[in-house]
Amino acid sequence: MTTNPVNLSGRELRATVEVPPMPRSASRPSRSSSGRPDGLPAEPEALFVYGTLQFPDVLRALIGRVPEHEAASAAGWRAAALPGRVYPGLVPAAATVRGVLLSGLALAEWRILDAFEGPGYDREPVLLLDGRSAWVYTYPLEAEVGDDDWSSAAFADRHLPAYVERCAVWRARHGRERPR
C-alpha cells in the first residue's frame, strides 16, 4: 500500500491503492522494435514520471513547457530515497508508485530528458495499473538506495526552488548542444 501526494498546478492528489505484488517481469512490456539506435519507438510514447519531473516548474526549466499530463501508477516499483540526494530512484518493490504520465513529448524533448537523467538511470518500458504502457527512468539495482520512500511533499517544501534553478542552469549549458 502506497500513499504519495503529487502536486500539479496547485492541486494535491492523495490516494492510497492496495494491489498485490506484481513480478517485475510482468511489469515490463517488451521494447518497441522500431530499429531506432536511440531505443525510442518510431512514435515516442508517454513517459511515466515519479520524482522531480512531476513538478511543472522542473519541466518548464528543462523543456520549456508542461506537456499533457495525468495521474498514473505502476505496481511492482517504489520511488526510493537516495542517500545524499534530493531526487529519487525507481527500484523494483512489492509496492505501487504514484506519479504522472506525460504525453505529447517531441523527439527533442525526449532527448533532453534522457540527457538530463544521464547514465545513472535507464529508460525502460513499464506497465501502468490502467493497462497502458509507458517509458520510465529506473535506477540501477547495484546502486545504494534508502529504506524510505521519496516524498514529493518534502521535496517541494525543502528543495523545489533551488532544484528548479539547478535545472535551468543545466538546460542553459546543454541548450547549445544539438540533440542527437
Side-chain angles (χ1 to χ4, degrees):
M1 192 164 13
T2 301
T3 301
N4 192 8
V6 175
N7 188 333
L8 289 176
S9 306
R11 296 180 315 192
E12 183 172 279
L13 306 173
R14 189 180 289 268
T16 302
V17 176
E18 187 168 357
V19 292
M22 177 183 272
R24 184 164 188 230
S25 61
S27 69
R28 298 173 63 189
S30 60
R31 287 190 183 265
S32 169
S33 58
S34 69
R36 292 175 55 113
D38 57 9
L40 287 172
E43 300 258 341
E45 301 162 3
L47 176 64
F48 176 69
V49 295
Y50 53 87
T52 61
L53 293 177
Q54 300 179 84
F55 292 88
D57 289 343
V58 171
L59 290 167
R60 279 188 208 95
L62 292 172
I63 62 172
R65 70 183 188 99
V66 179
E68 294 178 37
H69 57 275
E70 62 183 284
S73 300
W77 301 92
R78 77 179 181 96
L82 302 178
R85 299 192 176 109
V86 300
Y87 52 85
L90 190 69
V91 296
T96 297
V97 65
R98 297 187 138 312
V100 174
L101 187 65
L102 303 177
S103 57
L105 291 165
L107 184 57
E109 293 169 332
W110 280 99
R111 290 179 175 151
I112 290 166
L113 295 175
D114 279 350
F116 179 73
E117 293 295 333
Y121 289 83
D122 297 319
R123 186 175 27 82
E124 299 184 33
V126 66
L127 183 63
L128 302 175
L129 285 180
D130 65 8
R132 292 180 290 175
S133 63
W135 292 105
V136 67
Y137 294 106
T138 61
Y139 201 67
L141 291 176
E142 62 275 3
E144 183 181 346
V145 298
D147 293 331
D148 296 327
D149 287 344
W150 182 79
S151 167
S152 59
F155 171 80
D157 289 344
R158 297 182 196 133
H159 306 289
L160 182 58
Y163 192 80
V164 168
E165 189 173 318
R166 284 177 39 203
C167 291
V169 168
W170 179 91
R171 182 66 181 114
R173 288 183 183 152
H174 291 84
R176 292 190 175 92
E177 295 176 12
R178 186 178 177 116
R180 296 184 252 185

